[in-house]
Amino acid sequence: MTDFGFKLSKSSTIDLSRVELDRFEELCRQEPGAKVCIGCGSCTASCPAGRLSGMSVRKVLLGLQRGQKVNDMLQCCMLCGKCTMVCPRGINTRNLILTICRIYD
């Protein structure tokens, strides 16, 4: 075997057929904005907590769709509402975050 100076790591592919999406579907039922998000990043750019902690509504929604835990990221949200003001889709991101906290508690 030839040594190229690096090793290949295990694939990070997510098997979506094994992800339980019941809670994400409940989130979309209670807060339709979860499916409306286009992932533009405007919320992340305006977030004062995002600069220090990596808080991102876009990452939270993507993580939930992949069946990942996002509680640590949500703990950093200050619920200031700046993300709601800049959202081009008009999503009430503050309410979305509160709904996520209720469902995924």
Side-chain angles (χ1 to χ4, degrees):
M1 181 166 211
T2 307
D3 183 14
F4 293 106
F6 61 90
K7 295 183 191 264
L8 295 176
S9 61
K10 187 178 176 183
S11 174
S12 62
T13 303
I14 299 170
D15 185 2
L16 293 177
S17 63
R18 297 176 63 192
V19 174
E20 292 185 29
L21 294 176
D22 296 337
R23 289 193 285 181
F24 185 73
E25 290 170 4
E26 175 64 19
L27 171 65
C28 292
R29 189 185 66 71
Q30 288 186 28
E31 187 59 50
K35 284 197 172 183
V36 175
C37 177
I38 58 174
C40 68
S42 295
C43 53
T44 304
S46 68
C47 181
R51 294 184 191 109
L52 302 172
S53 67
M55 169 59 192
S56 169
V57 176
R58 176 176 53 178
K59 287 181 186 177
V60 167
L61 288 175
L62 187 59
L64 295 177
Q65 290 171 348
R66 292 179 174 178
Q68 299 170 342
K69 296 188 180 206
V70 294
N71 296 349
D72 292 341
M73 196 179 308
L74 288 174
Q75 295 289 328
C76 299
C77 180
M78 299 184 296
L79 295 173
C80 67
K82 287 184 179 181
C83 51
T84 301
M85 292 189 285
V86 299
C87 179
R89 302 291 288 207
I91 300 170
N92 185 345
T93 50
R94 190 175 180 193
N95 190 47
L96 178 66
I97 291 170
L98 290 171
T99 305
I100 291 170
C101 290
R102 270 196 314 271
I103 292 174
Y104 288 88
D105 189 19

